[in-house]
Amino acid sequence: MSYFEKVYEIVKKIPAGKVATYGQIARMLGTPGRAKIVGWALHKNPYYGEVPCHRVVNRNGEISSGFAFGGPFEQKKLLEQEGIIFDESGKINLNKYLWNPCEFQ
């Protein structure tokens, strides 16, 4: 399985109402420091609608300015539809919304 496919498999597991960070996914794959590669994989996601790439944000809880499937406003809209709240500066509270895979096993 390619690195990109491994990224997609992890992202599929992020439940609605939770987010993960690019770095978190890279660490889960045993490749810390490869957050940008995770981002590139999601930008190239061929499984739109099946892999919820909108649930992946940066380490500061910010959405991607280059969200490939409709831009940042679409990503924000999708997250808000899942109940995620953004603060006045446009950030997500990672203490509240960050996915902990151990909780869902």
Side-chain angles (χ1 to χ4, degrees):
M1 183 182 296
S2 74
Y3 189 83
F4 280 22
E5 291 297 325
K6 290 176 185 176
V7 169
Y8 304 143
E9 287 302 310
I10 289 175
V11 174
K12 284 182 193 177
K13 296 176 183 177
I14 305 168
K18 292 290 182 179
V19 296
T21 67
Y22 300 103
Q24 177 185 9
I25 293 168
R27 287 188 303 277
M28 291 173 72
L29 290 170
T31 56
R34 295 231 168 149
K36 288 185 179 186
I37 302 298
V38 171
W40 184 248
L42 295 176
H43 186 74
K44 294 293 187 181
N45 174 16
Y47 309 109
Y48 180 71
E50 188 179 330
V51 175
C53 54
H54 67 279
R55 295 182 186 144
V56 183
V57 299
N58 74 19
R59 66 179 175 216
N60 299 315
E62 299 165 329
I63 59 177
S64 173
S65 62
F67 184 64
F69 304 101
F73 298 110
E74 181 67 16
Q75 183 179 13
K76 184 177 182 191
K77 181 181 88 172
L78 291 169
L79 290 170
E80 287 176 332
Q81 288 173 349
E82 294 181 1
I84 293 178
I85 297 169
F86 290 78
D87 68 17
E88 56 281 342
S89 66
K91 293 182 182 180
I92 296 167
N93 180 344
L94 293 178
N95 290 325
K96 181 175 183 178
Y97 296 109
L98 187 66
W99 174 50
N100 178 352
C102 297
E103 292 177 3
F104 299 96
Q105 292 182 355

